[in-house]
């Protein structure tokens, strides 16, 4: 919904929140339902209203539980029966600098100040660990915004007795702890307050009358930022940044102005600005964002432009290069097909509003930031939070190389008349193993990102995956794949539950990077091999229909299963252990 896409009008969102909610509740968009427990140190009712809007727009339907005002700690340490029964998927602790309970006196010793810091930190640490033990779910904790009052003036931030210094050090303790565990995430209220402006952020009337921890007008922007953390945890991030070139990555038009006249580099203010844009985009690539070019240009001109010595980006940074005179919406479809991803995983950046309008009309599921002046490109793209980082794996850092190798192998495939011979030529190797604790982060990430080759599209948190790995009644397999073009990392997951003499495949998915390689057969072979010594003799496979996974509707039939039950939205397949025949022909298992 355009009204909820960054940059949005906060006042409009506040005034029309009910109408916006009704519009989204009546659409037919598929959404993940999650339960969020909001434990507040200030009034949280309006926070939940605006957070719900942004999450609905991002494909998540939240159900909220709210603690009583300023009872966040009591609710965590002495939970109500209602919260225990609620079983949250995420716990969000909405505290602010007003919830710091200690006071620093100028009569304190340095040891007194340090003791108070430790007491305040332990107050939160004890709460996090209690919540973690009780609910085994991700916890999102606000850090603290800068206090608006500086009793010591400029020295307040540097003197050990300054409250600003105390807040700074306490935030540091939060960050250190969050880096040691995989389940605590920091919502950066300090950044949001600074961006908004502390003088506007602190509304003393709203605090004394309604106990709002921030100005009402700041809440939509704050909630949008928080929603980015949540949607990232549930695999709703975008994956691809497709960019125009002329006046987007450099100043000028390469085909008209020529090589020597395009502006990039430090020789001019405009050139320096575009260099910074390129630097930002390259940093996104290094975090796992896949880059693509979508430009109306001759390829020869594009290659010439990227030979410019001041270019921070190089052609090899892009996984797909569509430089031609086709419609840009057609190029975006081509990019999605080449990368085997959904159109809703793409962000398209173009300086031309007419091009943006055409693509938005033809492909409304593509994210298109409304950029204006080049000096604001980074602010708008970054502020939208398309690529919010909550967990960063080695596969993320290597993603561009993976997709480039896929593109190369696809080009070579066209030279073969027999597809089987092509698969043999890849010299594919796979290791398929029982999941272990050190793989939980990547396994969870793949589960929550995969939509097309995903037969049930169930979602799991890291805590749930860890429980499954420890449970003897479950089999959790992950498969890695590499070929002569590169290593694709972990690409497939099977989670199966043993019950009496039956095995229920609750999750079977594969990354779009390795479609049509035969990896699904290798994974299924491994599952049945593990059942050889088991009493289980029947295997049931489940398919739950979504808008994106129709490609695997008949996968179990292709593997020799029989259809047992069928409805409009689901199918159940079954096969006996004795009737299963090996499927893998082209992958060497190591």
């Amino acid at each position: 919904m355009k009204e909820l896409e960054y940059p949005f009008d906060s006042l409009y969102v506040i005034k029309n929140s009910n109408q916006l909610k009704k519009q989204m509740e009546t659409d037919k968009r598929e959404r993940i339902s999650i339960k969020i427990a909001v434990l507040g140190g200030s009034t949280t009712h309006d926070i939940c209203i605006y957070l719900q809007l942004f999450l609905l727009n991002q494909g998540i339907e939240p159900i909220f539980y709210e603690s009583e005002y300023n009872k966040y700690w009591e609710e965590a340490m002495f939970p109500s029966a209602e919260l225990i029964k609620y079983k949250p998927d995420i716990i969000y602790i909405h505290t602010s600098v007003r919830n710091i309970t200690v006071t620093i006196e100028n009569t304190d010793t340095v040891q007194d100040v340090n003791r108070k810091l430790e007491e305040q930190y332990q107050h939160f640490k004890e709460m996090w660990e209690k919540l973690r033990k009780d609910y085994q779910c991700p916890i999102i904790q606000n850090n603290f915004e800068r206090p608006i009052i500086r009793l010591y003036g400029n020295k307040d931030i540097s003197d050990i007795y300054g409250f600003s210094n105390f807040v700074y050090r306490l935030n540091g303790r939060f960050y250190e702890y969050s880096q040691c565990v995989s389940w605590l995430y920091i919502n950066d209220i300090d950044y949001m307050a600074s961006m908004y402006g502390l003088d506007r952020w602190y509304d003393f009337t709203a605090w004394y009358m309604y106990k709002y921890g921030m100005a009402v007008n700041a809440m939509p922007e704050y909630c949008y930022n928080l929603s980015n953390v949540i949607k990232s945890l549930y695999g709703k991030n975008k994956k691809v940044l497709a960019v125009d070139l002329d006046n987007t990555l450099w100043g000028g038009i390469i085909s008209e102005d020529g090589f020597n006249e395009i502006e990039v580099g430090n020789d001019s203010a405009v050139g320096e600005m575009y260099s910074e844009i390129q630097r930002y985009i390259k940093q996104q690539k290094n975090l796992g964002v896949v880059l693509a070019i979508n430009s109306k240009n001759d390829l020869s001109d594009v290659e010439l432009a990227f030979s410019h010595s001041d270019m921070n980006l190089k052609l090899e940074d892009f996984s797909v290069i569509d430089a031609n005179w086709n419609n840009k919406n057609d190029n975006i479809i081509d990019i999605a097909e080449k990368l085997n991803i959904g159109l809703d995983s793409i962000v398209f950046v173009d300086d031309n509003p007419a091009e943006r309008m055409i693509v938005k009309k033809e492909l409304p599921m593509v994210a298109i930031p409304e950029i204006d002046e080049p000096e604001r490109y980074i602010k708008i793209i970054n502020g939208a939070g398309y690529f919010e980082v909550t967990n960063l794996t080695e596969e993320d850092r290597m993603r561009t190389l993976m997709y480039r190798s896929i593109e190369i192998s696809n080009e070579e495939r066209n030279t073969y008349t027999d597809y089987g011979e092509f698969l043999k030529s890849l010299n594919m190797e796979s290791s398929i193993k029982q999941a272990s604790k050190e793989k939980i982060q990547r396994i969870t990430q793949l589960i929550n990102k995969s939509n097309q080759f995903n037969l049930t599209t169930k979602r799991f948190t890291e805590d749930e995956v860890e429980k499954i790995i420890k449970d003897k009644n479950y089999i959790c397999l992950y498969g890695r794949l590499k070929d002569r073009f590169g290593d694709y990392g972990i690409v497939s997951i099977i989670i199966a539950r043993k019950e009496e003499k039956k095995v229920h495949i609750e999750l079977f998915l594969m990354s779009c990077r390795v479609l049509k390689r035969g990896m699904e057969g290798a994974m299924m072979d491994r599952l049945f091999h593990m059942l050889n010594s088991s009493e289980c003799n029947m295997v049931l496979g489940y398919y739950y229909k979504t808008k994106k996974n129709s490609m695997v509707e008949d996968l179990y039939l292709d593997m020799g299963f029989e259809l047992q039950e069928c409805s409009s939205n689901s199918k159940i397949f079954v096969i006996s252990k004795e009737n299963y025949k090996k499927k893998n022909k082209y992958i060497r298992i190591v």
Side-chain angles (χ1 to χ4, degrees), residues 442-502:
R442 171 55 184 161
I443 289 172
T444 306
Q445 183 189 65
L446 187 58
I447 288 173
N448 290 317
K449 283 186 175 182
S450 300
N451 295 301
Q452 292 173 290
F453 195 115
N454 190 332
L455 283 98
T456 58
T457 61
K458 287 187 175 182
R459 307 300 185 186
F460 295 95
T461 65
E462 288 188 16
D463 307 313
E464 290 168 332
V465 172
E466 186 172 0
K467 284 182 181 179
I468 287 169
I469 291 173
K470 293 178 179 178
D471 192 333
K472 293 181 179 179
N473 293 318
Y474 274 90
I475 297 171
C476 183
L477 297 177
Y478 72 89
R480 300 180 64 96
L481 184 68
K482 66 178 181 178
D483 61 23
R484 59 190 173 89
F485 293 107
D487 188 337
Y488 304 96
I490 296 175
V491 294
S492 188
I493 309 292
I494 287 180
I495 294 178
R497 174 175 52 85
K498 293 182 286 186
E499 183 179 6
E500 296 178 349
K501 293 187 177 182
K502 295 180 180 179

Side-chain angles (χ1 to χ4, degrees), residues 413 419 422-423 428 453 510 514-520 551:
R413 181 178 64 188
Y419 189 68
F422 165 69
L423 291 180
M428 292 184 287
F453 195 115
M510 192 167 66
V514 294
L515 292 179
K516 300 180 180 179
R517 296 291 190 88
M519 186 65 186
E520 63 272 25
M551 66 181 300

Side-chain angles (χ1 to χ4, degrees), residues 1 3-4 12-13 15-27 31 45 48-54 56-57 61-64:
M1 181 177 287
E3 293 84 355
L4 296 171
Y12 180 88
V13 172
K15 291 177 181 178
N16 297 278
S17 58
N18 288 333
Q19 180 183 350
L20 293 171
K21 179 184 175 184
K22 288 179 182 178
Q23 289 178 17
M24 285 189 289
E25 286 179 337
T26 56
D27 67 27
R31 294 184 174 93
H45 177 69
C48 292
I49 289 175
Y50 307 128
L51 180 59
Q52 181 185 39
L53 291 178
F54 293 115
L56 285 171
N57 195 50
E61 185 173 355
I63 303 168
F64 291 108

Side-chain angles (χ1 to χ4, degrees), residues 206-232:
W207 169 254
Y208 290 121
M209 292 187 68
Y210 311 113
K211 290 299 181 281
Y212 286 148
M214 67 189 74
V216 174
N217 291 350
M219 288 183 183
E221 290 188 40
Y222 171 82
C223 291
Y224 182 82
N225 182 75
L226 175 59
S227 74
N228 284 333
V229 179
I230 296 171
K231 60 95 173 169
S232 178

